[in-house]
Amino acid sequence: MIQTILIYSLVFLSFAIFATIYRLIKGPTAPDRVQALDALGINLLSGVAIFSVLLRSTGFFEVILLIGILSFIGTIAFARYIERGVVIERKQSD
Amino acid sequence: MKKPNDVIIRSVTKVAVVIILTFAINLFISGHHQPGGGFIGGLAFASALILLFLAFDIETVRNHIPLDFKVVAAVGVLISVLTGVGAMLLDHPFLFQAFGYFKLPIFGKTELATAVLFDIGVALAVIGTSITIIMTIGDDR
């Protein structure tokens, strides 16, 4: 019973991932693609969580936290590149 | 052109860096029995420093963390080699690892292994290498 529910939710998550991949390929501007990458990271994170329930293993919790951290840092780096043109500034600008 | 204002990213960074550093140390400590270890712990530590570099700038972080990260990488490799050589001094083969159970004040009966020292060396080498790469790439115009 619970296995069926988990597999159904994985199927719906993969639908969501395909929708974000469509936005990633089609997206007219760069911010669209960055947001699609961020949402794809979140969907991947929840997919790993559901897999760890499905496999009855606690070995994937670090993966969940790490995907969250890396997606956050990657989104911030892209956002700074789009806004300022540089990712890491050398000196305080103001 | 308006002056950019990043008060939100700086406030979020001040909270998130503490959490990421705690998680990195947890990954490093739990490497013996759970997933984790020196490599991924060092990379999580380096990602916290990269978040600091992104929210602030290179000069500020360098003033507050006055470490030469090339020296950090070198010290890490030196620690890893010295744990192997120390086993040779005690009439064991190179890189021999020992462990024992000790009674610590707070933790009770704890397993302490010399593999942790080797892992500290690995973590320091990973931190030093990745931060050196980031600083070298990001520094010039």
Side-chain angles (χ1 to χ4, degrees):
Chain A
M1 182 61 203
I2 206 94
Q3 210 128 14
T4 332
I5 294 173
L6 289 176
I7 288 175
Y8 270 115
S9 52
L10 274 178
V11 169
F12 282 120
L13 262 177
S14 54
F15 280 146
I17 287 178
F18 280 127
T20 49
I21 284 176
Y22 171 75
R23 181 48 68 199
L24 191 66
I25 295 170
K26 183 84 179 188
T29 61
D32 285 334
R33 295 198 168 97
V34 172
Q35 278 199 337
L37 267 181
D38 196 20
L40 200 145
I42 301 296
N43 283 330
L44 210 63
L45 190 153
S46 36
V48 172
I50 292 173
F51 253 111
S52 98
V53 178
L54 199 59
L55 299 178
R56 295 178 189 281
S57 153
T58 59
F60 296 103
F61 290 170
E62 284 87 0
V63 179
I64 294 170
L65 278 165
L66 271 178
I67 290 177
I69 291 169
L70 291 184
S71 156
F72 175 62
I73 291 177
T75 309
I76 284 181
F78 270 123
R80 281 189 78 89
Y81 178 67
I82 289 171
E83 191 193 9
R84 307 266 174 93
V86 293
V87 177
I88 298 176
E89 287 179 346
R90 192 164 43 160
K91 267 203 189 88
Q92 206 88 345
S93 54
D94 45 11
Chain B
M1 177 110 186
K2 275 189 295 187
K3 203 173 67 171
N5 177 8
D6 18 88
V7 59
I8 292 181
I9 177 177
R10 286 188 181 171
S11 312
V12 169
T13 300
K14 280 171 196 163
V15 178
V17 160
V18 179
I19 301 172
I20 298 175
L21 287 181
T22 319
F23 176 55
I25 293 172
N26 177 34
L27 269 181
F28 174 76
I29 294 293
S30 70
H32 203 68
H33 295 294
Q34 271 120 25
F39 185 76
I40 190 68
L43 275 184
F45 202 95
S47 71
L49 291 181
I50 289 170
L51 185 58
L52 279 180
F53 279 131
L54 286 173
F56 299 95
D57 50 327
I58 286 189
E59 291 288 324
T60 315
V61 180
R62 198 180 264 161
N63 288 338
H64 284 81
I65 310 175
L67 279 177
D68 190 358
F69 283 96
K70 295 189 282 293
V71 178
V72 171
V75 166
V77 174
L78 191 67
I79 289 175
S80 290
V81 172
L82 281 185
T83 52
V85 175
M88 284 173 82
L89 292 181
L90 299 174
D91 259 355
H92 286 296
F94 183 60
L95 284 179
F96 182 82
Q97 306 284 353
F99 65 95
Y101 292 93
F102 299 96
K103 268 206 169 307
L104 294 184
I106 301 172
F107 301 104
K109 187 180 162 198
T110 314
E111 179 188 6
L112 293 181
T114 55
V116 178
L117 295 175
F118 186 79
D119 244 10
I120 286 176
V122 173
L124 285 183
V126 169
I127 292 170
T129 311
S130 47
I131 297 297
T132 304
I133 290 172
I134 294 291
M135 279 169 95
T136 316
I137 292 174
D139 210 1
D140 58 355
R141 284 284 145 133

